[in-house]
Amino acid sequence: MTLRVASFAVALLGLALSGAASAESRMEQEIRLFTEMLQLAPGTVVADIGAGEGQYGFAMAEIVGAEGKVYSTELDEEKLAALKEAVAEQELANVEVVKGEYAATAL
């Protein structure tokens, strides 16, 4: 099993995506690039380190499907709680929210 990691590279991807019409289209472009770069497909296991509000991890969960897994790590307690709530509300069985630490991802 190969674990692929998506992290703060989103910010770096933003540099390559100039002229996006809106924030939504920019996010869609970033997700498309992540999908290509990480070779995401059904069954892929991926870690979203520094998941924030979860939009990238949730999009990846849809791509990897029920056979795959997304580990969403976050340091901030409030964001961590919001992530757990969103995962439960959306019934995302393939997303596991993990409390990360500054010195370790906990993966």
Side-chain angles (χ1 to χ4, degrees):
M1 169 177 31
T2 302
L3 174 67
R4 298 186 174 134
V5 179
S7 80
F8 64 93
V10 170
L12 297 176
L13 281 175
L15 296 174
L17 299 172
S18 60
S22 69
E24 183 176 358
S25 64
R26 183 179 180 124
M27 181 180 294
E28 290 171 355
Q29 288 177 341
E30 290 172 350
I31 291 168
R32 181 180 47 77
L33 283 174
F34 262 131
T35 300
E36 292 171 8
M37 289 172 47
L38 297 173
Q39 299 176 346
L40 297 181
T44 304
V45 177
V46 63
D48 182 11
I49 299 172
E53 297 175 0
Q55 59 268 54
Y56 295 100
F58 298 160
M60 290 188 281
E62 186 175 326
I63 294 165
V64 303
E67 309 84 32
K69 186 80 168 180
V70 176
Y71 293 95
S72 292
T73 71
E74 182 53 55
L75 299 172
D76 183 275
E77 292 290 341
E78 289 180 18
K79 288 181 182 176
L80 192 69
L83 275 170
K84 289 179 180 179
E85 185 176 320
V87 166
E89 285 177 3
Q90 296 179 43
E91 299 179 355
L92 298 172
N94 63 343
V95 176
E96 183 173 334
V97 178
V98 179
K99 180 176 184 346
E101 299 293 335
Y102 287 102
T105 63
L107 295 177

